[in-house]
Amino acid sequence: MINVRTDLAVEAREIYKEQFKREADGVVVVEEEKDDIKITTVNVKNEEGARMIGKVMGTYITIDIPEFTHYDGEIMDNVAHVLAESLKKLIDIEHTKTALVVGLGNWNVTPDALGPQVVEKIMVTRHLKSVMPDAIDDSVRPVCALAPGVLGITGIETGEVIKGVVDRIKPSIVVCIDALASRNTRRVNRTIQIGNTGISPGAGVGNKRMEISEKTLGIPVIAIGVPTVVDAATIVSDAMDLVLDEMINQASSGGEFYNMLKSIDKNEKGQLIRTLLNPHVGDLMVTPKEVDIVIDSVSKIISSGLNLALQPNLDMEEITKFMN
Amino acid sequence: MINVRTDLAVEAREIYKEQFKREADGVVVVEEEKDDIKITTVNVKNEEGARMIGKVMGTYITIDIPEFTHYDGEIMDNVAHVLAESLKKLIDIEHTKTALVVGLGNWNVTPDALGPQVVEKIMVTRHLKSVMPDAIDDSVRPVCALAPGVLGITGIETGEVIKGVVDRIKPSIVVCIDALASRNTRRVNRTIQIGNTGISPGAGVGNKRMEISEKTLGIPVIAIGVPTVVDAATIVSDAMDLVLDEMINQASSGGEFYNMLKSIDKNEKGQLIRTLLNPHVGDLMVTPKEVDIVIDSVSKIISSGLNLALQPNLDMEEITKFMN
Amino acid sequence: MINVRTDLAVEAREIYKEQFKREADGVVVVEEEKDDIKITTVNVKNEEGARMIGKVMGTYITIDIPEFTHYDGEIMDNVAHVLAESLKKLIDIEHTKTALVVGLGNWNVTPDALGPQVVEKIMVTRHLKSVMPDAIDDSVRPVCALAPGVLGITGIETGEVIKGVVDRIKPSIVVCIDALASRNTRRVNRTIQIGNTGISPGAGVGNKRMEISEKTLGIPVIAIGVPTVVDAATIVSDAMDLVLDEMINQASSGGEFYNMLKSIDKNEKGQLIRTLLNPHVGDLMVTPKEVDIVIDSVSKIISSGLNLALQPNLDMEEITKFMN
Amino acid sequence: MINVRTDLAVEAREIYKEQFKREADGVVVVEEEKDDIKITTVNVKNEEGARMIGKVMGTYITIDIPEFTHYDGEIMDNVAHVLAESLKKLIDIEHTKTALVVGLGNWNVTPDALGPQVVEKIMVTRHLKSVMPDAIDDSVRPVCALAPGVLGITGIETGEVIKGVVDRIKPSIVVCIDALASRNTRRVNRTIQIGNTGISPGAGVGNKRMEISEKTLGIPVIAIGVPTVVDAATIVSDAMDLVLDEMINQASSGGEFYNMLKSIDKNEKGQLIRTLLNPHVGDLMVTPKEVDIVIDSVSKIISSGLNLALQPNLDMEEITKFMN
């Protein structure tokens, strides 16, 4: 059982594997690659596996995208297609059933604005049947989309807004998009996680918030998450560990030095982190300098992939034409 | 009975009065003035009055603000206070009851973005009791706020989103803010209408949309509306009327010329309007050049007035401090 | 000689032709059509022609784009290519010479923000030779780009900023992009005018501003202009004329009625316009409701066309790749 | 002589003092405090001092603002007044002479957008004398303002744009505002540095750019800088040092362990940093989560202080009224 919290199943699994030198029981992992895009499926099969890697039972598909994706329209299209295929595996309802797309996060904070930005690019069709029935035929799925804002802005829990709207308009599936935190700068804006286990907004921060899941909404909930920041405290902690590990490697096992290094305990490290980041601990994030541009690019990829997955009878060209 | 559609009760009443040279039966009007700010209360007392001026039974308070308001912080504050007093007359619930503020309109179209911009400046407090109970005492009303977007963006009727959220979080009152169309350039961004009869989004455009009112939501609905545009077709029509009126004035009553002018019928005028505005009829609006700046200013006035009205135990300084 | 001021040569020529039933002396007009796109070249050959239609001597190419261009990516590309071909006729310098692209207008006022929005999408290359010489080869023209803002924002005349920068960095050509006013709603966001006679910012408003032209800068100046608004006063005036014309048509020539209509003079009409638009005369504009979206689309078309024209050795795909 | 690069004179001086346990020769430091605001004046008196702390000869005034400034309008006003007083010491020209305010940085990257955001809030008056001479009297200084963009956006060096405009409009002084990097999270958005030695854009990044100083422009150049980010590499490096220092403290001087810790050399640490931040080294920054809000607040403080300093005959109320 690992004691590190992470939004990404693939990170949790890595940490477990590194620590215990084997896959956790009840966790099945399949890796594929297509067009330089790595697809890792982590299946948490039972409660034992869930407890081991700290992730709810269900399927987590992680797509790792090539380094220069955000600067190459062709690669972006490839990733969108791979994403669409992965989504289709989890979106298992007829193409005539209504989908509600929900963009979580705060539109005023760039790295948290991914969800709202995706929502802006979703092909919204639910209202067209009544407004202009001739323009739209039965091959098109009714899709609606909402960015409910965050608690600090609206005074309403995200889950409450979604539950209220779902109870009212009765869609058959909800797809949530959310910005996550990673433990690793390499994953920032480079990893897309899809899962069928729902979402707990602000879960990492220790806040008790209403879960957004099949349990609370009564319909399947697909979550798409992308790590867009690393907490500064995480990076600092990792930096310290790296130095310690390096020295442990150099020290002879069992010697005085080795033992001392091993004994530097958590509290001490926490104190050092507070020394360094004070008065901002927990409030500082690490992002790429060009974060505005990259979030724009990621939101294009995800909306393209999601539009393709939700509209199995349309191709990318038809969707683009509709969106303009 | 008048045959002109307008969002403003005060305009409907003016048109009636001009046409019939008297107040409509069942319509009671009171006019006041304070700090150069004119306050007109139109009470539509019965169904007869409602039919005559084409406005639902209820109270409509109209505030006409001085010409240079948007360029003078002091006048803006005065207007906000007058607005607060008028709102308090219609918001008739205890200060401990929850209010939901709803900003209607499309945030991507500047003159329609008034509602969403007001929502951004509302003092949101509903969540604070649980998140930081010590920071907030019982003198503060729980307020939450939402900008539900428009049908074309979300695929969901505005009324459906509001109904869903109201049913879920059960506020005691809803206050809607909306941008309106005026028939008169003089009123653009200069008139604030408050009413207790609810709202029909897109009512003017002939679309059948779900009403947002006490009837549909089950709780009182206060509507704040500001005309931010004039339809180009309205201005063109008025221009033509003005020329015709001018010539009628000059012609001797009963003469050939006079009769001819009188006979220019509606269809003919409609045809001329289409000639002029084609291919954009119904799609063109008239706004001040500095519309972005003015909408910002109007949204500040309305949010200030509304914050004061919703928080009767706080003064403007305390609210400003909270907002920063 | 016409007495109407318009930014568009093609409008001036139309007004002249309608009034005098013939082309003005010294004005040569050629009309072509390609992919539903109409290209009209107005050559003002001598001072006589310039005086007649109120436009400086030079070449004005006007591109009229199909109605639904802004909603169809393919048509947008076609227009960009036609624009590029027209621009190449006027940009008559080697592909190794530096071009400075200048986006005129106020980025805070949507219909005036066209120029700054185009500048954001220009393929800027001038600095790359020194920063990363290997990434860029001799087939690429050095291009730089600037949005100098407007007098009210900077306190500096646009012409002064441009002259200062031109004197310092010595480009071989300047291309200015500006939003214009049209007399006609049909032309709004549907007409692109290219000219080689430079620009007088705010020329229409009677302000004396520094001209931006080969005379003042010492190098060729190409101007790209798109009408994005119609003044409300123009529309109102046209509406009145339309009514009068209609009645004149109906009246028997020479009768009392006919003569009276003919005698409604300018001052009177001006007075009526002021009555209608007061207190906002000259300050109100007519725009499409979806102006933000359309300006975005127009800026994409113009930047595409301009990038193609400035980089004759690159195709659209290579430019798009560079821009991402 | 210190071997650490920092944009802040006060940091350079601290590092020197810590390393050598004394003030550098030729560096005179005066500290004051007012309303909880700390003002530190570092005078680099001669070349020796300049070499020691790695800062050009001249005066650097640093204002450290209280922790909750950005959430309290009253403290913001206090800081603005202190800033104004400090600026007045360096802006030593008659109130009738023209000032050019230049906002450096990239408006598309939030923590770099400080300069452009300040420029938007500057009281621009230079054009008013000619446009509306009656509205403005001789007590008001002519001020103009420009945000020239960055090399990657315009293809023109910032220094070239400024030099071109200065040569053209001949102001008597230039005031530049720029976002800086700090070595210390405590200083982020909490320290304002004013200096009279000009600016080298991108100096820290090893790029050779045209200096913006009295030497290159021929007139005094005042620079206002605020650290808005810390490089992620700096934080990681500091984290490692902290761990090492802590262990050195614990180890007995002269022992094997102590010597080993001391021997971890720079290259090794650099390698560890690259391991941690790869592939993003040099590209990651650390900012507060609410960076958009804080930059807005800082830009208000600086523009207020600068407006007061540039207009010695006006008070804050008159300036606010003018700005609206």
Side-chain angles (χ1 to χ4, degrees):
Chain A
M1 184 180 161
I2 65 171
N3 55 16
V4 177
R5 214 203 70 76
T6 162
D7 287 327
L8 296 172
V10 82
E11 267 184 6
R13 175 250 182 169
E14 264 174 23
I15 294 167
Y16 185 95
K17 221 177 145 183
E18 196 167 290
Q19 206 171 329
F20 299 97
K21 310 298 172 204
R22 60 177 183 88
E23 212 71 73
D25 288 337
V27 174
V28 178
V29 179
V30 179
E31 296 182 343
E32 299 156 87
E33 194 163 324
K34 197 179 160 186
D35 293 333
D36 274 329
I37 302 160
K38 199 175 145 193
I39 306 152
T40 310
T41 305
V42 176
N43 259 296
V44 183
K45 294 275 194 184
N46 54 34
E47 286 303 335
E48 170 70 5
R51 213 169 49 84
M52 283 304 119
I53 69 167
K55 291 276 124 192
V56 178
M57 266 177 61
T59 303
Y60 303 84
I61 305 177
T62 301
I63 297 170
D64 288 310
I65 65 183
E67 185 165 356
F68 297 109
T69 298
H70 304 306
Y71 305 97
D72 189 320
E74 208 178 311
I75 308 185
M76 284 173 68
D77 281 359
N78 288 344
V79 175
H81 277 107
V82 166
L83 173 60
E85 289 315 306
S86 298
L87 279 166
K88 280 179 188 169
K89 286 179 194 159
L90 300 184
I91 299 177
D92 187 25
I93 56 165
E94 267 177 75
H95 84 267
T96 54
K97 302 285 188 185
T98 298
L100 168 62
V101 178
V102 177
L104 301 170
N106 184 344
W107 43 76
N108 292 327
V109 175
T110 310
D112 201 31
L114 177 66
Q117 285 195 23
V118 169
V119 156
E120 276 182 25
K121 302 181 189 86
I122 289 302
M123 180 176 161
V124 165
T125 54
R126 178 175 171 269
H127 58 307
L128 297 181
K129 285 264 157 71
S130 53
V131 177
M132 39 170 150
D134 296 344
I136 206 89
D137 65 40
D138 288 341
S139 64
V140 176
R141 181 196 301 280
V143 174
C144 49
L146 205 70
V150 294
L151 185 59
I153 285 182
T154 62
I156 313 173
E157 270 203 44
T158 309
E160 288 180 304
V161 177
I162 298 171
K163 175 72 173 153
V165 172
V166 164
D167 285 354
R168 180 82 202 159
I169 69 170
K170 307 204 181 308
S172 300
I173 195 166
V174 164
V175 183
C176 290
I177 300 97
D178 200 10
L180 310 175
S182 172
R183 294 196 53 77
N184 193 317
T185 59
R186 256 196 321 281
R187 293 205 182 280
V188 168
N189 300 314
R190 296 274 304 283
T191 290
I192 303 170
Q193 172 175 283
I194 317 167
N196 59 4
T197 64
I199 253 177
S200 309
V205 211
N207 302 334
K208 258 277 176 77
R209 296 280 170 74
M210 182 183 155
E211 204 180 288
I212 301 161
S213 67
E214 185 153 5
K215 207 174 78 189
T216 57
L217 298 185
I219 51 171
V221 175
I222 307 299
I224 305 178
V226 177
T228 61
V229 295
V230 176
D231 270 346
T234 301
I235 279 218
V236 165
S237 169
D238 288 355
M240 292 172 173
D241 287 343
L242 210 60
V243 169
L244 294 173
D245 288 352
E246 184 64 18
M247 290 191 293
I248 287 173
N249 283 344
Q250 291 178 17
S252 48
S253 169
E256 171 211 10
F257 179 30
Y258 181 90
N259 290 335
M260 184 189 173
L261 288 170
K262 279 286 188 193
S263 71
I264 293 195
D265 76 356
K266 279 214 152 175
N267 289 338
E268 202 170 340
K269 222 180 71 183
Q271 183 54 46
L272 291 175
I273 293 172
R274 276 189 292 280
T275 305
L276 195 68
L277 297 184
N278 206 32
H280 286 294
V281 186
D283 186 41
L284 289 169
M285 62 185 179
V286 181
T287 61
K289 290 212 171 90
E290 74 283 24
V291 58
D292 304 71
I293 297 155
V294 176
I295 294 291
D296 182 55
S297 159
V298 176
S299 72
K300 277 178 192 155
I301 292 172
I302 291 182
S303 55
S304 286
L306 185 48
N307 283 331
L308 284 169
L310 290 175
Q311 302 295 355
N313 296 321
L314 303 181
D315 61 24
M316 201 178 266
E317 205 176 321
E318 290 165 310
I319 290 170
T320 306
K321 199 154 180 173
F322 178 95
M323 294 302 293
N324 288 324
Chain B
M1 183 180 161
I2 65 173
N3 55 16
V4 176
R5 215 205 69 78
T6 162
D7 287 328
L8 296 172
V10 82
E11 268 185 6
R13 176 251 183 167
E14 265 174 23
I15 294 168
Y16 185 94
K17 218 176 148 182
E18 196 167 290
Q19 208 170 327
F20 298 99
K21 309 299 172 203
R22 60 176 184 87
E23 211 73 72
D25 289 336
V27 174
V28 178
V29 178
V30 179
E31 297 183 342
E32 300 157 86
E33 194 163 325
K34 196 180 161 186
D35 294 333
D36 275 328
I37 302 160
K38 199 174 145 195
I39 306 153
T40 309
T41 306
V42 176
N43 259 296
V44 183
K45 294 274 194 185
N46 54 36
E47 286 303 336
E48 170 71 4
R51 214 168 49 86
M52 283 303 119
I53 69 168
K55 291 277 123 193
V56 178
M57 266 177 63
T59 303
Y60 302 84
I61 304 177
T62 301
I63 297 170
D64 287 311
I65 65 183
E67 185 165 356
F68 297 108
T69 299
H70 303 307
Y71 304 97
D72 189 321
E74 208 178 310
I75 308 185
M76 284 173 68
D77 282 359
N78 289 344
V79 175
H81 277 106
V82 165
L83 174 60
E85 290 315 308
S86 298
L87 279 167
K88 281 179 188 168
K89 286 180 195 157
L90 299 184
I91 299 177
D92 187 25
I93 56 165
E94 267 177 74
H95 85 267
T96 54
K97 303 284 189 187
T98 299
L100 169 62
V101 178
V102 178
L104 301 171
N106 185 344
W107 45 74
N108 292 327
V109 174
T110 309
D112 202 30
L114 177 65
Q117 285 195 22
V118 169
V119 156
E120 276 182 25
K121 303 181 187 87
I122 289 302
M123 180 175 161
V124 166
T125 54
R126 178 175 172 268
H127 57 308
L128 297 181
K129 284 264 157 69
S130 54
V131 177
M132 38 169 151
D134 298 341
I136 206 89
D137 65 39
D138 288 342
S139 63
V140 176
R141 182 196 300 281
V143 174
C144 49
L146 206 68
V150 294
L151 186 59
I153 286 182
T154 62
I156 313 174
E157 270 204 44
T158 310
E160 288 180 304
V161 177
I162 299 171
K163 176 72 174 155
V165 173
V166 164
D167 285 354
R168 180 84 202 158
I169 68 170
K170 306 202 182 305
S172 300
I173 194 165
V174 164
V175 183
C176 290
I177 300 97
D178 199 10
L180 310 174
S182 172
R183 294 196 53 76
N184 192 319
T185 60
R186 257 196 321 279
R187 293 206 181 280
V188 168
N189 300 314
R190 295 274 304 283
T191 290
I192 304 170
Q193 171 175 284
I194 317 166
N196 59 4
T197 64
I199 252 176
S200 309
V205 211
N207 301 334
K208 259 275 174 76
R209 296 279 169 76
M210 181 183 156
E211 204 180 288
I212 300 162
S213 67
E214 184 153 6
K215 206 175 78 188
T216 56
L217 298 185
I219 51 172
V221 174
I222 307 299
I224 305 177
V226 176
T228 61
V229 295
V230 177
D231 269 346
T234 301
I235 279 218
V236 164
S237 170
D238 289 355
M240 291 173 173
D241 287 343
L242 210 61
V243 168
L244 293 174
D245 288 353
E246 184 65 18
M247 288 191 295
I248 288 174
N249 283 344
Q250 291 179 15
S252 48
S253 169
E256 170 211 12
F257 179 31
Y258 180 90
N259 291 334
M260 185 190 172
L261 288 169
K262 281 286 189 193
S263 72
I264 293 196
D265 75 358
K266 279 216 154 172
N267 289 339
E268 203 169 339
K269 221 180 71 182
Q271 184 53 45
L272 290 175
I273 293 172
R274 276 187 293 280
T275 306
L276 196 68
L277 298 184
N278 207 32
H280 286 294
V281 185
D283 186 41
L284 289 169
M285 63 185 180
V286 181
T287 61
K289 290 211 170 92
E290 74 283 24
V291 58
D292 304 71
I293 297 155
V294 176
I295 294 291
D296 182 55
S297 159
V298 176
S299 73
K300 278 179 191 154
I301 292 171
I302 292 182
S303 55
S304 286
L306 185 49
N307 282 331
L308 285 169
L310 290 176
Q311 301 295 354
N313 297 320
L314 302 181
D315 62 23
M316 201 178 265
E317 205 176 323
E318 290 166 310
I319 291 171
T320 306
K321 198 154 180 173
F322 179 95
M323 293 303 292
N324 287 324
Chain C
M1 185 181 161
I2 65 172
N3 56 18
V4 176
R5 215 205 69 78
T6 162
D7 287 328
L8 296 172
V10 82
E11 267 184 6
R13 175 250 181 168
E14 266 174 21
I15 294 167
Y16 185 95
K17 222 177 143 182
E18 194 166 292
Q19 206 170 331
F20 299 99
K21 311 296 173 205
R22 60 177 183 87
E23 211 71 73
D25 288 337
V27 174
V28 178
V29 178
V30 179
E31 296 182 344
E32 298 157 87
E33 194 164 323
K34 198 181 160 184
D35 294 333
D36 275 328
I37 302 159
K38 198 175 146 195
I39 306 153
T40 310
T41 306
V42 175
N43 259 295
V44 183
K45 294 274 197 187
N46 55 34
E47 286 303 336
E48 171 69 3
R51 214 170 47 84
M52 282 302 120
I53 69 167
K55 291 277 122 193
V56 178
M57 266 176 63
T59 301
Y60 302 84
I61 305 177
T62 300
I63 297 170
D64 288 310
I65 67 182
E67 184 167 355
F68 297 108
T69 299
H70 303 307
Y71 305 98
D72 189 322
E74 207 179 310
I75 308 185
M76 284 174 67
D77 281 359
N78 288 344
V79 175
H81 277 107
V82 165
L83 174 60
E85 290 315 306
S86 298
L87 279 167
K88 281 179 186 168
K89 287 179 193 158
L90 300 183
I91 299 177
D92 187 23
I93 57 167
E94 267 176 76
H95 84 267
T96 55
K97 302 285 189 187
T98 298
L100 169 62
V101 177
V102 177
L104 301 170
N106 184 345
W107 44 74
N108 293 326
V109 175
T110 310
D112 202 31
L114 178 66
Q117 284 196 23
V118 169
V119 156
E120 276 181 25
K121 303 182 188 85
I122 289 301
M123 180 177 160
V124 165
T125 53
R126 178 177 172 268
H127 58 306
L128 297 181
K129 284 267 156 67
S130 53
V131 176
M132 39 168 149
D134 296 342
I136 206 89
D137 66 39
D138 289 343
S139 63
V140 176
R141 181 195 301 282
V143 173
C144 48
L146 206 68
V150 294
L151 185 58
I153 285 182
T154 62
I156 314 173
E157 270 204 44
T158 308
E160 288 179 305
V161 177
I162 299 171
K163 177 72 174 153
V165 172
V166 164
D167 285 355
R168 180 82 202 159
I169 68 169
K170 305 203 182 308
S172 300
I173 195 164
V174 164
V175 183
C176 290
I177 300 96
D178 200 10
L180 310 175
S182 172
R183 292 196 55 75
N184 193 318
T185 59
R186 256 197 322 280
R187 292 205 181 283
V188 167
N189 300 314
R190 295 275 304 282
T191 290
I192 304 170
Q193 172 175 282
I194 318 166
N196 59 5
T197 64
I199 253 176
S200 307
V205 212
N207 301 334
K208 258 278 175 75
R209 296 280 169 75
M210 181 182 155
E211 203 180 289
I212 300 161
S213 67
E214 183 152 9
K215 208 174 81 189
T216 56
L217 298 185
I219 52 172
V221 174
I222 307 299
I224 305 177
V226 177
T228 60
V229 295
V230 176
D231 270 345
T234 301
I235 279 218
V236 165
S237 169
D238 288 356
M240 291 172 173
D241 287 344
L242 211 60
V243 169
L244 293 174
D245 288 353
E246 185 64 18
M247 289 191 293
I248 289 173
N249 283 344
Q250 291 180 14
S252 48
S253 169
E256 172 211 11
F257 179 31
Y258 181 91
N259 290 335
M260 185 190 172
L261 287 170
K262 281 286 190 194
S263 72
I264 294 196
D265 76 357
K266 280 215 154 176
N267 290 338
E268 202 169 340
K269 220 180 71 183
Q271 184 53 46
L272 291 175
I273 294 173
R274 275 188 293 281
T275 305
L276 195 68
L277 297 184
N278 207 31
H280 286 295
V281 185
D283 187 40
L284 289 170
M285 62 185 180
V286 181
T287 61
K289 289 210 171 94
E290 73 282 23
V291 58
D292 304 70
I293 297 156
V294 177
I295 294 291
D296 182 55
S297 159
V298 176
S299 72
K300 276 177 192 157
I301 293 172
I302 292 183
S303 55
S304 286
L306 184 49
N307 283 332
L308 284 169
L310 290 175
Q311 302 294 355
N313 296 322
L314 302 182
D315 61 25
M316 200 177 267
E317 204 177 324
E318 290 166 311
I319 290 171
T320 305
K321 197 152 181 176
F322 179 94
M323 294 301 293
N324 287 323
Chain D
M1 184 180 159
I2 65 172
N3 56 17
V4 176
R5 216 205 69 78
T6 162
D7 286 328
L8 296 171
V10 82
E11 267 184 6
R13 176 251 181 170
E14 264 174 23
I15 294 168
Y16 185 94
K17 222 177 145 183
E18 194 167 292
Q19 205 171 331
F20 299 99
K21 310 297 171 205
R22 61 177 183 86
E23 212 70 76
D25 289 337
V27 174
V28 178
V29 178
V30 179
E31 296 182 342
E32 299 157 87
E33 194 162 324
K34 199 179 158 183
D35 293 334
D36 274 330
I37 302 159
K38 199 175 145 195
I39 306 153
T40 310
T41 306
V42 176
N43 259 297
V44 183
K45 293 276 194 185
N46 54 35
E47 286 303 337
E48 171 70 4
R51 214 169 48 85
M52 282 303 120
I53 69 166
K55 291 276 123 191
V56 178
M57 267 177 62
T59 302
Y60 302 85
I61 305 178
T62 300
I63 297 170
D64 287 311
I65 66 182
E67 185 168 354
F68 296 109
T69 299
H70 303 308
Y71 305 96
D72 189 322
E74 208 178 310
I75 309 185
M76 284 173 66
D77 281 358
N78 288 344
V79 175
H81 278 106
V82 166
L83 174 61
E85 289 316 307
S86 298
L87 279 166
K88 281 179 186 167
K89 287 181 194 156
L90 300 184
I91 299 177
D92 187 24
I93 57 166
E94 267 177 75
H95 84 266
T96 55
K97 302 286 189 186
T98 298
L100 170 62
V101 177
V102 178
L104 300 171
N106 184 346
W107 44 75
N108 292 327
V109 175
T110 310
D112 203 30
L114 177 66
Q117 284 195 21
V118 169
V119 155
E120 275 181 26
K121 303 180 188 88
I122 289 301
M123 180 176 160
V124 165
T125 55
R126 178 176 172 267
H127 58 306
L128 297 181
K129 284 266 156 66
S130 53
V131 176
M132 39 168 151
D134 297 343
I136 205 92
D137 66 38
D138 288 342
S139 64
V140 177
R141 181 195 302 282
V143 173
C144 48
L146 206 68
V150 293
L151 185 59
I153 285 182
T154 62
I156 314 174
E157 270 204 43
T158 309
E160 288 179 305
V161 177
I162 299 171
K163 177 72 174 152
V165 172
V166 164
D167 286 355
R168 180 80 202 161
I169 68 169
K170 304 202 182 309
S172 299
I173 193 164
V174 164
V175 183
C176 289
I177 299 97
D178 200 9
L180 310 175
S182 172
R183 293 195 54 75
N184 193 318
T185 59
R186 258 196 320 280
R187 292 205 182 282
V188 167
N189 299 315
R190 296 274 303 282
T191 291
I192 304 171
Q193 172 175 283
I194 318 165
N196 60 4
T197 64
I199 253 176
S200 308
V205 211
N207 302 334
K208 258 277 174 73
R209 295 280 169 75
M210 182 183 156
E211 201 181 290
I212 301 162
S213 67
E214 184 152 8
K215 206 174 80 189
T216 56
L217 298 184
I219 52 172
V221 175
I222 307 299
I224 305 177
V226 176
T228 60
V229 295
V230 176
D231 269 346
T234 301
I235 279 218
V236 165
S237 169
D238 289 356
M240 292 172 172
D241 287 344
L242 211 61
V243 169
L244 294 174
D245 289 352
E246 185 63 18
M247 289 191 291
I248 288 173
N249 283 344
Q250 292 179 14
S252 48
S253 169
E256 172 212 11
F257 180 30
Y258 181 90
N259 290 335
M260 186 190 172
L261 288 168
K262 280 287 188 195
S263 72
I264 293 197
D265 76 357
K266 280 216 154 172
N267 290 338
E268 203 170 339
K269 220 180 73 184
Q271 185 53 46
L272 290 175
I273 293 173
R274 275 188 293 281
T275 304
L276 195 68
L277 297 184
N278 207 33
H280 285 295
V281 185
D283 186 41
L284 289 170
M285 61 184 181
V286 180
T287 61
K289 290 211 171 91
E290 74 281 25
V291 58
D292 304 70
I293 297 156
V294 176
I295 294 291
D296 183 55
S297 159
V298 176
S299 73
K300 277 178 191 156
I301 293 172
I302 292 184
S303 55
S304 286
L306 185 48
N307 283 331
L308 284 169
L310 290 175
Q311 303 296 354
N313 297 322
L314 302 181
D315 61 24
M316 200 177 267
E317 204 176 324
E318 290 167 310
I319 290 171
T320 305
K321 198 155 181 174
F322 179 95
M323 293 303 293
N324 287 323

